[in-house]
Amino acid sequence: MRLSRLTLFAATLALTGFACQKKADTAAEETAIRAQNAAWNAAVVAKSDSAMAAIYADNGTLMPPNEKIVTGTAAIRSFFAMLWPMNANLVITSTAITVASSGDMATDAGTYTFNAGTMHDTGKYLVHWHKIGTTWKIVDDIWNSDTPLPAMPPMAMDSTAK
């Protein structure tokens, strides 16, 4: 099969364009995500569930332990509003941010501390970020506690079981 000069020229242009695509500055994008995390922590201190929810994508999801998925800005705002009556303190600390070479998606793994009255907890989280326009937004947020669940009571033996 012979390629026409036009086909060969078009293929060369396409390959050249692909090879010359600019890679994202992943270090700068990581810095931007760290700034969003700092804004999230500041929103907790300010007791602003609206500011917290604004860091999430419009269709963002929370996946809290032992609860149903929370989806969308209004539901996320309501979820975080439950912290204020408890006078809760919640701090997240990122330990590893990985930005895709495309510069439009990232993962953020870290730890959290939670204190509210006599309740104290530590745990870990995993967040999936998307760059929407020029702003990083949380798309998925999941976390779980380092505290073991209480031991299950021993099961009574059923004498009729075979």
Side-chain angles (χ1 to χ4, degrees), residues 2 5 7 9-10 24 30 41 55 59-60 63-64 82 84 91 96 112 125 131 133 143 151:
R2 286 178 58 144
R5 285 185 184 181
T7 303
F9 180 70
E30 180 180 339
N41 282 330
I55 296 170
N59 62 343
M63 292 175 258
M82 293 186 301
W84 318 142
V91 177
Y112 71 84
Y125 71 85
K131 191 170 187 183
W143 66 94

Side-chain angles (χ1 to χ4, degrees), residues 1-87:
M1 176 172 132
R2 286 178 58 144
L3 294 175
S4 71
R5 285 185 184 181
L6 183 57
T7 303
L8 187 57
F9 180 70
T12 302
L13 280 178
L15 288 173
T16 302
F18 181 74
C20 293
Q21 283 183 346
K22 184 179 175 186
K23 295 247 181 186
D25 182 350
T26 55
E29 300 301 349
E30 180 180 339
T31 298
I33 291 169
R34 289 189 186 282
Q36 285 289 73
N37 282 340
W40 195 94
N41 282 330
V44 173
V45 171
K47 294 182 171 37
S48 178
D49 43 90
S50 295
M52 293 172 76
I55 296 170
Y56 290 78
D58 291 343
N59 62 343
T61 62
L62 300 179
M63 292 175 258
N66 307 310
E67 294 188 35
K68 293 185 178 188
I69 292 176
V70 178
T71 303
T73 304
I76 290 169
R77 189 204 57 72
S78 293
F79 180 88
F80 287 124
M82 293 186 301
L83 295 174
W84 318 142
M86 295 187 287
N87 199 28

